[in-house]
Amino acid sequence: MRRHRGKSAFLQALTTDKSVSDEHIMQLLRTEPAFERGFRLLMTQYQERLYWHIRRMVLVHEDADDVLQNTFIKVYRGIAQFEGKSKLYTWLYRIATNEAITHLQSKARNSSTSLDDASGVLMNRLQADTWFDGDAVQVKLQHAIAELPDKQRIVFNLRYFEEMPYEEMSTVLETSVGALKASFHHATKKIEAAFREA
Amino acid sequence: MQQKESLDDELKGLSPWLRDLKKSEPGLQVPADYFDTLEARVFAQMEATGGRETPVMQATRGGKLLRLLRTPKAGVAAAAAIVLTVGALWFLRAPNTVTPGEIAANVPVVARPELSDEEIETYLLQNVQDFEPEQLASIPLLAVELPETENPAPVTSPKITKKHHELLNDVSAEDLEKALNGMSDEELERML
């Protein structure tokens, strides 16, 4: 049975109060007997948010599933190195973003496509995905987004779909607010231009 | 709500069309029980690919620092730092008149007359609490040979143009627009 992911439900997943939970999660992760319980709580807390972040980059559900599982495995095995200098979700987002980019690059290499053709391959996979039923406009939008350079696409997705403030984005992507604003502004102009040309 | 208004305002100025498009469903779907079964699949995958040893997250930075300070090495390093700091301060204030040998004469422990300066300094570091700061400060520092560096690599700064500096400040949408017109994708990617 299909589950249609409404926009409002997705945004609701973003707005739950995380601050108390993060502290509780980290306390559990610091003790061996409670570690697994803490990790399961971390998964429950962040799985949807990370899934959609990854999904908007890789577009296809099956690929998003692979990347998300790899992300959590990396988190589980690497949590000992997390010193708590940044927020927990910032660290999680960074791992998820890097895994998604690695996946996209690997797909492009394995399908023997050039970087220019990579977005075309991505769009073909999206339209063949049984878990996508967007209309023609949405297909065009996703195509235009897929044409953006990787980092610009991440910035656009975080701002446009997840409505992440620039200050928060700056800590996730380790880039200045000014550069992120410039990137988002440039991305919107390119997407508009892509629609006008089509 | 303030956050959404901010994006709305931003898109109103940038691209009203994209702002309107945001209201429609994106078309991406997910299976109904996907998130319910994810946890089990992640642990199964972990076991299949390398086991499930339980790593434990590091303690808070404060706790880690305290544990580190309790080690003997850290204690010696801290004592040496104190000695050198106090010694430097006194050295700058007054000429040194006391030699390690003279200090050694006052040391109330068994000492051989033929002790070297290095041996005395090592002893002092290990028993720094037994001496007055003035005594420690009067010890001349041993000369330390620093390795010579041949042709150290010149420090180069990244090629950031004036245009990039302008963009990196908080500027208005209009100013951004003007600057963006002249920038290519590659330039923007380098900035990121």
Side-chain angles (χ1 to χ4, degrees):
Chain A
M1 182 179 162
R2 285 188 179 192
R3 172 182 164 183
H4 183 72
R5 185 67 184 173
K7 199 157 52 76
S8 56
F10 167 65
L11 286 175
Q12 207 171 34
L14 298 181
T15 55
T16 52
D17 180 16
K18 302 272 188 294
S19 55
V20 174
S21 296
D22 278 359
E23 191 47 52
H24 179 57
I25 289 169
M26 289 196 280
Q27 278 173 0
L28 293 173
L29 290 170
R30 285 190 195 107
T31 59
E32 195 167 334
F35 179 85
E36 198 162 295
R37 188 156 63 93
F39 182 74
R40 289 178 190 273
L41 193 55
L42 181 152
M43 280 194 67
T44 306
Q45 197 75 7
Y46 287 105
Q47 60 186 4
E48 287 195 48
R49 195 170 170 179
L50 289 177
Y51 171 83
W52 289 109
H53 173 61
I54 292 166
R55 178 78 186 268
R56 294 197 191 286
M57 290 177 64
V58 304
L59 296 182
V60 175
H61 165 68
E62 197 182 290
D63 293 348
D65 180 40
D66 287 343
V67 173
L68 183 61
Q69 288 195 47
N70 290 342
T71 297
F72 278 125
I73 291 171
K74 262 205 172 161
V75 167
Y76 185 94
R77 291 177 177 158
I79 197 81
Q81 278 75 50
F82 178 59
E83 293 178 0
K85 289 178 187 174
S86 60
K87 287 185 185 175
L88 184 57
Y89 82 86
T90 303
W91 185 66
L92 295 173
Y93 257 74
R94 276 198 213 127
I95 295 175
T97 303
N98 289 339
E99 285 296 305
I101 290 174
T102 302
H103 175 87
L104 288 169
Q105 289 171 344
S106 167
K107 281 279 181 189
R109 274 196 304 272
N110 290 343
S111 62
S112 306
T113 55
S114 68
L115 288 175
D116 290 336
D117 293 338
S119 60
V121 170
L122 199 57
M123 285 313 299
N124 288 340
R125 284 176 59 78
L126 173 66
Q127 289 183 267
D129 186 14
T130 53
W131 299 105
F132 175 73
D133 72 348
D135 57 19
V137 174
Q138 288 297 334
V139 171
K140 244 195 233 177
L141 175 63
Q142 292 297 339
H143 191 197
I145 295 170
E147 291 276 311
L148 298 173
D150 284 346
K151 283 184 182 171
Q152 201 171 87
R153 179 149 42 103
I154 293 167
V155 172
F156 181 83
N157 284 340
L158 286 175
R159 184 64 178 150
Y160 185 73
F161 293 110
E162 299 190 37
E163 302 187 25
M164 188 179 280
Y166 286 114
E167 292 72 20
E168 210 170 287
M169 210 189 299
S170 175
T171 59
V172 172
L173 300 178
E174 294 178 306
T175 305
S176 70
V177 168
L180 293 171
K181 277 186 183 174
S183 187
F184 179 71
H185 289 193
H186 206 171
T188 57
K189 293 304 169 191
K190 287 169 77 175
I191 290 170
E192 267 196 348
F195 266 80
R196 278 198 295 272
E197 280 170 19
Chain B
M1 200 48 68
Q2 195 175 359
Q3 176 184 327
K4 188 174 190 305
E5 283 169 2
S6 174
L7 175 64
D8 272 353
D9 288 341
E10 192 176 8
L11 288 175
K12 201 196 285 187
L14 268 179
S15 173
W17 167 79
L18 263 177
R19 180 182 170 223
D20 293 338
L21 187 61
K22 202 170 176 331
K23 295 169 190 164
S24 62
E25 292 297 338
L28 299 175
Q29 294 185 341
V30 65
D33 61 346
Y34 175 73
F35 294 110
D36 299 330
T37 59
L38 178 63
E39 196 178 286
R41 285 185 283 111
V42 167
F43 279 105
Q45 179 73 2
M46 243 191 296
E47 285 184 13
T49 55
R52 218 165 103 177
E53 284 179 24
T54 303
V56 174
M57 194 175 153
Q58 288 179 343
T60 59
R61 292 171 73 193
K64 185 183 173 187
L65 183 62
L66 282 173
R67 279 207 313 276
L68 192 65
L69 286 176
R70 286 194 198 114
T71 61
K73 265 190 190 172
V76 170
I82 293 168
V83 166
L84 291 172
T85 303
V86 173
L89 287 172
W90 274 90
F91 181 76
L92 289 171
R93 285 177 59 186
N96 287 325
T97 53
V98 183
T99 65
E102 287 172 336
I103 295 283
N106 294 324
V107 169
V109 293
V110 175
R112 293 173 295 152
E114 62 274 20
L115 279 177
S116 67
D117 285 354
E118 286 85 347
E119 286 172 318
I120 292 169
E121 186 170 347
T122 302
Y123 172 80
L124 289 172
L125 289 175
Q126 289 173 352
N127 297 279
V128 66
Q129 65 279 2
D130 294 332
F131 296 94
E132 297 298 317
E134 293 85 352
Q135 286 177 301
L136 296 170
S138 61
I139 301 167
L141 298 173
L142 289 176
V144 175
E145 276 190 43
L146 295 173
E148 287 182 7
T149 53
E150 294 182 9
N151 302 323
V155 174
T156 57
S157 51
K159 289 180 184 173
I160 299 177
T161 64
K162 187 181 175 186
K163 206 185 284 180
H164 293 151
H165 279 296
E166 286 169 359
L167 281 172
L168 286 173
N169 293 328
D170 275 328
V171 293
S172 67
E174 284 169 9
D175 290 339
L176 270 172
E177 197 64 44
K178 284 178 196 167
L180 284 170
N181 285 337
M183 290 189 76
S184 67
D185 280 347
E186 282 143 6
E187 283 179 304
L188 271 177
E189 280 293 289
R190 277 202 297 274
M191 259 171 52
L192 291 175

